[in-house]
Coordinates of all heavy atoms in Angstrom, one line a residue:
S5 N 7.3 15.8 -17.2 CA 6.4 16.7 -17.9 C 6.9 18.2 -17.6 O 7.8 18.4 -16.9 CB 5.0 16.5 -17.5 OG 4.1 17.2 -18.3
M6 N 6.2 19.1 -18.2 CA 6.5 20.5 -18.0 C 5.3 21.3 -17.6 O 4.2 20.9 -18.0 CB 7.2 21.1 -19.2 CG 8.5 20.4 -19.7 SD 9.4 21.2 -20.9 CE 10.2 22.6 -20.0
F7 N 5.5 22.4 -16.9 CA 4.4 23.2 -16.3 C 4.9 24.5 -15.9 O 6.1 24.9 -16.1 CB 3.9 22.4 -15.0 CG 4.7 22.7 -13.9 CD1 4.4 23.6 -12.9 CD2 6.0 22.0 -13.8 CE1 5.2 23.8 -11.8 CE2 6.8 22.3 -12.7 CZ 6.5 23.2 -11.7
Y8 N 3.9 25.4 -15.5 CA 4.3 26.6 -14.7 C 3.3 26.8 -13.6 O 2.1 26.5 -13.8 CB 4.5 27.8 -15.7 CG 3.3 28.4 -16.3 CD1 2.8 29.6 -15.9 CD2 2.5 27.7 -17.3 CE1 1.6 30.2 -16.4 CE2 1.4 28.3 -17.8 CZ 1.0 29.5 -17.4 OH -0.2 30.1 -18.0
S9 N 3.8 27.3 -12.5 CA 3.0 27.3 -11.3 C 1.8 28.2 -11.3 O 0.8 27.9 -10.6 CB 3.9 27.6 -10.1 OG 4.8 26.6 -9.8
S10 N 1.9 29.4 -12.0 CA 0.8 30.3 -12.0 C -0.3 30.0 -13.0 O -1.4 30.6 -13.0 CB 1.3 31.7 -12.3 OG 1.9 31.9 -13.6
C11 N -0.1 28.8 -13.7 CA -1.2 28.3 -14.6 C -2.4 28.0 -13.8 O -2.4 27.3 -12.8 CB -0.6 27.1 -15.4 SG -1.9 26.4 -16.5
E12 N -3.6 28.4 -14.3 CA -4.8 28.2 -13.6 C -5.7 27.2 -14.3 O -6.8 26.9 -13.8 CB -5.6 29.5 -13.4 CG -4.8 30.5 -12.5 CD -5.6 31.8 -12.3 OE1 -6.6 32.0 -13.1 OE2 -5.1 32.6 -11.5
M13 N -5.3 26.7 -15.4 CA -6.1 25.8 -16.2 C -5.5 24.5 -16.4 O -5.9 23.5 -15.7 CB -6.5 26.4 -17.6 CG -7.2 27.8 -17.4 SD -7.6 28.6 -19.0 CE -8.6 27.4 -19.8
V14 N -4.7 24.3 -17.4 CA -4.2 23.0 -17.7 C -3.2 22.4 -16.7 O -3.3 21.2 -16.4 CB -3.5 23.0 -19.2 CG1 -2.7 21.7 -19.5 CG2 -4.6 23.3 -20.2
C15 N -2.3 23.2 -16.2 CA -1.2 22.6 -15.3 C -1.8 22.0 -14.0 O -1.3 20.8 -13.7 CB -0.2 23.7 -15.0 SG 0.7 24.2 -16.5
P16 N -2.8 22.5 -13.4 CA -3.3 21.8 -12.2 C -4.0 20.5 -12.6 O -3.8 19.5 -11.9 CB -4.4 22.8 -11.7 CG -3.9 24.2 -12.1 CD -3.3 23.9 -13.5
V17 N -4.6 20.4 -13.8 CA -5.2 19.2 -14.3 C -4.0 18.2 -14.6 O -4.1 17.0 -14.4 CB -6.0 19.4 -15.5 CG1 -6.6 18.1 -16.0 CG2 -7.2 20.4 -15.2
L18 N -2.9 18.7 -15.1 CA -1.8 17.8 -15.3 C -1.3 17.2 -14.0 O -1.1 15.9 -14.0 CB -0.6 18.6 -16.0 CG 0.7 18.0 -16.2 CD1 0.6 16.9 -17.2 CD2 1.7 19.0 -16.7
F19 N -1.2 17.9 -13.0 CA -0.7 17.4 -11.7 C -1.7 16.3 -11.2 O -1.4 15.3 -10.8 CB -0.6 18.5 -10.7 CG 0.8 19.2 -10.7 CD1 1.1 20.2 -11.5 CD2 1.8 18.7 -9.8 CE1 2.3 20.9 -11.5 CE2 3.1 19.3 -9.8 CZ 3.3 20.4 -10.7
E20 N -3.0 16.7 -11.3 CA -4.0 15.8 -10.9 C -4.1 14.5 -11.7 O -4.3 13.4 -11.2 CB -5.4 16.5 -10.9 CG -6.5 15.6 -10.4 CD -6.4 15.2 -8.9 OE1 -5.7 15.9 -8.2 OE2 -7.1 14.2 -8.6
T21 N -3.9 14.6 -13.0 CA -3.8 13.4 -13.8 C -2.8 12.5 -13.4 O -2.9 11.2 -13.4 CB -3.7 13.9 -15.3 OG1 -4.8 14.7 -15.7 CG2 -3.7 12.6 -16.2
I22 N -1.6 13.0 -13.2 CA -0.4 12.2 -12.8 C -0.8 11.5 -11.4 O -0.5 10.3 -11.2 CB 0.8 13.0 -12.7 CG1 1.2 13.4 -14.1 CG2 2.0 12.1 -12.1 CD1 2.5 14.3 -14.2
A23 N -1.3 12.3 -10.5 CA -1.7 11.8 -9.2 C -2.6 10.6 -9.2 O -2.5 9.6 -8.5 CB -2.1 12.9 -8.2
Q24 N -3.6 10.8 -10.1 CA -4.7 9.8 -10.3 C -4.1 8.5 -10.9 O -4.4 7.4 -10.6 CB -5.8 10.3 -11.0 CG -6.7 11.4 -10.3 CD -7.3 10.8 -9.0 OE1 -7.8 9.7 -9.0 NE2 -7.2 11.7 -8.0
T25 N -3.1 8.7 -11.8 CA -2.5 7.7 -12.5 C -1.7 6.8 -11.5 O -1.7 5.6 -11.5 CB -1.5 8.2 -13.6 OG1 -2.3 8.8 -14.6 CG2 -0.8 7.0 -14.3
L26 N -1.0 7.4 -10.5 CA -0.3 6.7 -9.5 C -1.1 5.8 -8.8 O -0.7 4.7 -8.3 CB 0.4 7.7 -8.6 CG 1.5 8.7 -9.3 CD1 2.2 9.5 -8.2 CD2 2.5 7.9 -10.1
K27 N -2.4 6.3 -8.4 CA -3.2 5.5 -7.7 C -3.7 4.2 -8.3 O -4.1 3.2 -7.7 CB -4.5 6.3 -7.3 CG -4.2 7.5 -6.3 CD -5.5 8.3 -6.1 CE -5.2 9.5 -5.1 NZ -6.4 10.3 -4.9
E28 N -3.5 4.1 -9.7 CA -3.9 2.9 -10.4 C -2.8 1.9 -10.5 O -3.1 0.8 -11.0 CB -4.3 3.4 -11.9 CG -5.6 4.2 -11.9 CD -6.8 3.4 -11.5 OE1 -7.0 2.3 -12.0 OE2 -7.5 4.0 -10.6
L29 N -1.7 2.2 -10.0 CA -0.5 1.4 -10.2 C -0.4 0.4 -8.9 O -0.7 0.8 -7.8 CB 0.7 2.2 -10.2 CG 0.9 3.2 -11.4 CD1 2.1 4.0 -11.3 CD2 0.9 2.4 -12.7
P30 N 0.1 -0.8 -9.2 CA 0.4 -1.7 -8.1 C 1.5 -1.0 -7.1 O 2.3 -0.3 -7.6 CB 1.0 -2.9 -8.8 CG 0.6 -2.9 -10.2 CD 0.4 -1.4 -10.5
P31 N 1.5 -1.3 -5.9 CA 2.4 -0.7 -4.9 C 3.8 -0.8 -5.3 O 4.6 0.2 -5.2 CB 2.1 -1.4 -3.6 CG 0.7 -1.8 -3.7 CD 0.5 -2.1 -5.1
A32 N 4.3 -2.0 -5.9 CA 5.7 -2.2 -6.3 C 6.1 -1.3 -7.4 O 7.2 -0.7 -7.4 CB 5.8 -3.7 -6.6
T33 N 5.1 -1.1 -8.3 CA 5.4 -0.2 -9.5 C 5.5 1.3 -9.0 O 6.4 2.0 -9.3 CB 4.3 -0.3 -10.6 OG1 4.3 -1.6 -11.0 CG2 4.6 0.7 -11.7
R34 N 4.5 1.6 -8.1 CA 4.5 3.0 -7.6 C 5.7 3.4 -6.8 O 6.2 4.5 -6.9 CB 3.2 3.2 -6.8 CG 2.9 4.6 -6.4 CD 1.5 4.8 -5.9 NE 1.2 3.9 -4.8 CZ 0.3 2.9 -4.8 NH1 -0.4 2.7 -5.9 NH2 0.0 2.1 -3.8
D35 N 6.2 2.4 -6.1 CA 7.4 2.7 -5.2 C 8.6 2.9 -6.1 O 9.5 3.7 -5.6 CB 7.7 1.6 -4.3 CG 6.6 1.4 -3.2 OD1 5.8 2.4 -2.9 OD2 6.4 0.3 -2.6
R36 N 8.7 2.3 -7.3 CA 9.9 2.6 -8.1 C 9.8 3.8 -9.0 O 10.8 4.2 -9.5 CB 10.0 1.3 -9.1 CG 10.3 0.0 -8.4 CD 10.4 -1.1 -9.4 NE 11.4 -0.9 -10.4 CZ 11.2 -0.8 -11.7 NH1 9.9 -0.9 -12.2 NH2 12.2 -0.7 -12.5
L37 N 8.6 4.4 -9.1 CA 8.5 5.5 -10.0 C 9.0 6.8 -9.4 O 8.8 7.1 -8.3 CB 6.9 5.6 -10.3 CG 6.5 6.6 -11.3 CD1 7.1 6.4 -12.7 CD2 5.0 6.7 -11.4
K38 N 9.5 7.6 -10.3 CA 9.9 9.0 -10.0 C 9.1 9.9 -11.0 O 8.9 9.5 -12.1 CB 11.4 9.2 -10.2 CG 12.2 8.4 -9.2 CD 13.7 8.6 -9.3 CE 14.5 7.8 -8.3 NZ 15.9 8.0 -8.5
I39 N 8.8 11.1 -10.5 CA 8.1 12.1 -11.3 C 8.9 13.3 -11.3 O 9.3 13.8 -10.3 CB 6.6 12.4 -10.8 CG1 5.9 11.1 -10.7 CG2 6.0 13.4 -11.7 CD1 5.8 10.5 -9.2
V40 N 9.2 13.8 -12.5 CA 10.0 15.0 -12.7 C 9.2 16.0 -13.5 O 8.8 15.8 -14.6 CB 11.3 14.7 -13.5 CG1 12.1 16.0 -13.7 CG2 12.2 13.6 -12.8
M41 N 8.9 17.2 -12.8 CA 8.2 18.2 -13.4 C 9.1 19.4 -13.5 O 9.6 20.0 -12.6 CB 7.0 18.6 -12.4 CG 6.1 17.4 -12.1 SD 5.1 16.8 -13.5 CE 3.9 18.1 -13.7
I42 N 9.2 19.9 -14.7 CA 10.2 21.0 -15.1 C 9.4 22.3 -15.5 O 8.5 22.2 -16.3 CB 11.1 20.6 -16.2 CG1 11.8 19.3 -15.9 CG2 12.1 21.7 -16.5 CD1 12.5 18.6 -17.1
T43 N 9.7 23.3 -14.8 CA 9.0 24.6 -15.0 C 9.6 25.3 -16.2 O 10.8 25.3 -16.3 CB 8.9 25.5 -13.9 OG1 8.3 26.8 -14.2 CG2 10.4 25.9 -13.3
F44 N 8.7 25.8 -17.1 CA 9.3 26.6 -18.2 C 9.1 28.2 -17.9 O 9.2 29.0 -18.7 CB 8.6 26.3 -19.6 CG 7.2 26.1 -19.6 CD1 6.3 27.2 -19.6 CD2 6.6 24.8 -19.6 CE1 4.9 27.1 -19.6 CE2 5.3 24.7 -19.7 CZ 4.4 25.7 -19.7
D45 N 8.9 28.5 -16.6 CA 8.7 29.9 -16.2 C 9.7 30.1 -14.9 O 9.2 30.4 -13.8 CB 7.3 30.1 -15.7 CG 7.0 31.6 -15.4 OD1 7.9 32.4 -15.7 OD2 6.0 31.9 -14.8
P46 N 11.1 29.8 -15.1 CA 12.0 30.0 -14.0 C 12.0 31.4 -13.4 O 12.4 31.5 -12.2 CB 13.3 29.5 -14.6 CG 13.1 29.8 -16.1 CD 11.7 29.5 -16.4
A47 N 11.7 32.4 -14.2 CA 11.7 33.7 -13.7 C 10.8 33.9 -12.5 O 11.1 34.6 -11.5 CB 11.4 34.7 -14.8
R48 N 9.6 33.3 -12.5 CA 8.6 33.4 -11.5 C 8.5 32.2 -10.6 O 8.1 32.3 -9.4 CB 7.2 33.7 -12.1 CG 7.1 35.1 -12.8 CD 5.6 35.4 -13.2 NE 5.2 34.4 -14.2 CZ 4.0 34.5 -14.8 NH1 3.1 35.5 -14.5 NH2 3.7 33.6 -15.7
D49 N 8.9 31.1 -11.1 CA 8.9 29.9 -10.3 C 10.2 29.7 -9.5 O 11.1 29.0 -9.9 CB 8.7 28.6 -11.2 CG 7.2 28.4 -11.5 OD1 6.3 29.1 -10.8 OD2 6.9 27.6 -12.4

């Protein structure tokens, strides 16, 4: 997914949604999973 760190609304919810999704996964699936978050604000991030 994509984000920017100074976002105060949607991006924190995005991180939380992914984190909560991980908790719903079986351990074997969770262990294989990688999460890639790309900032579209490289000047400040």
Side-chain angles (χ1 to χ4, degrees):
S5 190
M6 301 190 75
F7 76 104
Y8 71 109
S9 292
S10 60
C11 178
E12 297 179 351
M13 296 177 65
V14 170
C15 296
V17 178
L18 175 62
F19 274 87
E20 181 62 22
T21 300
I22 294 175
Q24 291 300 319
T25 299
L26 299 185
K27 294 179 181 180
E28 293 296 309
L29 300 174
T33 302
R34 189 165 55 245
D35 290 343
R36 296 178 58 239
L37 181 63
K38 296 180 181 178
I39 304 100
V40 179
M41 305 291 289
I42 304 166
T43 176
F44 46 76
D45 189 13
R48 291 186 297 182
D49 279 346

